[in-house]
Amino acid sequence: IFVRVGLGQDFEPNYEESRVPDYALPDPLRFEHGGQVGNPEDWKERRAEVFRLFESEVYGKSPEWDGELRAETLFENPDFLDGKASRKGVRLYLKRNAKEIFFDVLLFYPNTGQPVPAFLGLNFYGNHTLASDAQVPVTQAWIRNNETMGSSENKASEAGRGKRIPNWPYEAILSRGYGLVSLYYGEVDPDFDDGFRNGVHALYPEEARNEASWGSIAGWAWGLSRVMDFLETEAWVQPEKVAVLGHSRLGKAALWAGAMDTRFALVISNNSGCGGAALSRRKYGETVGRINRSFPHWFAANFSRYNENESALPIDQHQLLALMAPRPVYVASGVEDRWADPRGEFLSCVAASPVYALFGLQGMPVTTQPPLDQPEMGHIGYHVRSGGHGLLPYDWQQYLDFADMHF
Ligand code: GCU
């Protein structure tokens, strides 16, 4: 059962800028012992400190992958979109000792005969929601109930077919010369609090869990790395040009994937908000306490020590963005998506920029939030677009431009 604790009852989000508390952000360029980070060489060391803090205090530590990965082609259509592209379905089996799980990966790529860069992202309702035809099977995994997506009793159905194509505009992506790879997040780790017995966590039954063990966000992120393992064996893709992206909770997962796995050459957070790109110390919209109570399985247990206690956090989310440096990272907000704190997402980009400067790169080109629908792109990109929470064609246009700029 998907338990949403006290939604709308015990919590009144702050949406007043004037009521954002004064706060001081931890300096990404200061070592724990107090010394100053002065060059990229120092940053390697400092990065390890910051990474460890996110691991133990926020997302939890994911295990090393020491199992076997096997890919089975489910279907392959080299004649997709009148022969302009190919579409393929692959079942990735992850086997470790006596345990095996699988997730289905849906791949689209242009028939250029040359390896291409690609976007990789988890989807919310199954791969069949990205396909209008029956070749892509409906996921059999646990799914959230959602009438418009055709899921009930935690089962997906044909009624969801094609419903998310507008959010994954593969025709536009392919015509710009990029591949698109997606998989259903519920096959990686079902999104409910089951004590970490299913999904990728099930591969590590011997693991004694503690306050710093991986939660579901870390599980989803870890799953993205297994897809990357597989992409490294695919001829159509340039594995050194894979952008990882995600929306909302899956934007949090994309950021953590980019932090854990530097093979991701570009990282995109779409409306990731609290526990993603937004600064926790602002307590605007969703807060640390609120997210931990609503979704107790998303983070390491340690994260709840900062409920209503954000100033005690040894890091803030700008340092998560900084973990990508010098790789490009893009953060996108929706102006009506106040729950995700658009301004807090922007300020996070600004506060991550000194780390890029260390590499002689421009992070966020501006220090005041850009006007609506006017993207800013340095090595950190940002836009706040019209409208609310969602991964929209407008967002994709910016991601494609940003990828063109950096790839
Ligand atoms: C909830 C949650 C957010 C999350 C969002 C989503 O609103 O509070 O943190 O980003 O769901 O994933 O859509």
Side-chain angles (χ1 to χ4, degrees), residues 4 124 248-249 252 272 274 286 291 295 298 339 389:
R4 304 192 113 196
F124 273 89
S248 206
R249 69 197 64 183
K252 309 180 211 294
S272 63
C274 181
E286 188 172 32
I291 204 169
F295 306 101
W298 280 6
W339 183 243
H389 196 62

Side-chain angles (χ1 to χ4, degrees), residues 18 45 55 94 116 121 185 191 215 244 246 249 274 325 346 356 361 369 387 403:
S18 62
E45 237 175 277
E55 208 174 44
L94 279 68
V116 293
Y185 87 127
D191 194 357
V244 65
R249 69 197 64 183
C274 181
F346 170 72
Y356 284 80
L361 300 170
Q369 198 174 8

Side-chain angles (χ1 to χ4, degrees), residues 22-33:
D22 287 334
Y23 59 86
L25 291 179
D27 183 348
L29 295 183
R30 192 162 291 279
F31 282 105
E32 271 163 34
H33 61 62

Side-chain angles (χ1 to χ4, degrees), residues 148-344:
T148 37
M149 301 310 295
S151 54
S152 62
E153 291 174 44
N154 302 123
K155 278 194 170 14
S157 80
E158 276 297 332
R161 186 168 295 287
K163 287 267 165 69
R164 283 288 156 104
I165 294 174
N167 310 97
W168 298 89
Y170 53 76
E171 274 205 64
I173 296 166
L174 290 163
S175 71
R176 295 274 299 258
Y178 290 84
L180 173 65
V181 181
S182 188
L183 67 159
Y184 171 49
Y185 87 127
E187 292 180 3
V188 178
D189 192 31
D191 194 357
F192 62 93
D193 189 9
D194 78 322
F196 305 102
R197 284 187 296 270
N198 59 20
V200 291
H201 297 101
L203 293 167
Y204 295 85
E206 76 283 9
E207 183 191 57
R209 290 189 60 88
N210 60 35
E211 281 64 32
S213 296
W214 55 333
S216 288
I217 291 173
W220 300 323
W222 187 91
L224 287 164
S225 286
R226 301 295 70 78
V227 179
M228 187 67 193
D229 296 344
F230 164 68
L231 289 178
E232 287 185 323
T233 69
E234 283 283 280
W236 64 266
V237 68
Q238 292 178 282
E240 73 288 358
K241 290 187 183 172
V242 173
V244 65
L245 108 167
H247 168 62
S248 206
R249 69 197 64 183
L250 302 180
K252 309 180 211 294
L255 288 171
W256 186 233
M260 282 198 292
D261 192 338
T262 55
R263 290 177 298 174
F264 293 117
L266 192 154
V267 182
I268 300 166
S269 149
N270 194 84
N271 309 172
S272 63
C274 181
L279 296 173
S280 301
R281 279 172 174 74
R282 279 171 48 81
K283 303 188 232 184
Y284 184 104
E286 188 172 32
T287 62
V288 171
R290 177 47 193 262
I291 204 169
N292 280 320
R293 280 189 282 272
S294 307
F295 306 101
H297 57 294
W298 280 6
F299 297 93
N302 271 339
F303 196 37
S304 60
R305 290 168 41 215
Y306 305 101
N307 294 355
E308 290 76 49
N309 188 25
E310 291 83 351
S311 58
L313 276 163
I315 39 74
D316 209 321
Q317 299 302 114
H318 61 305
Q319 287 161 287
L320 177 63
L321 300 183
L323 289 177
M324 314 308 162
R327 295 166 296 155
V329 57
Y330 198 107
V331 174
S333 311
V335 71
E336 287 159 28
D337 184 16
R338 295 182 304 166
W339 183 243
D341 187 12
R343 185 168 165 73

Side-chain angles (χ1 to χ4, degrees), residues 4-48:
R4 304 192 113 196
V5 186
L7 274 190
Q9 292 159 15
D10 59 336
F11 181 74
E12 196 55 62
N14 174 40
Y15 289 140
E16 298 283 340
E17 197 56 42
S18 62
R19 283 173 47 207
V20 170
D22 287 334
Y23 59 86
L25 291 179
D27 183 348
L29 295 183
R30 192 162 291 279
F31 282 105
E32 271 163 34
H33 61 62
Q36 186 71 25
V37 176
N39 53 53
E41 201 51 40
D42 291 349
W43 173 249
K44 271 192 208 152
E45 237 175 277
R46 172 61 179 149
R47 186 188 189 277

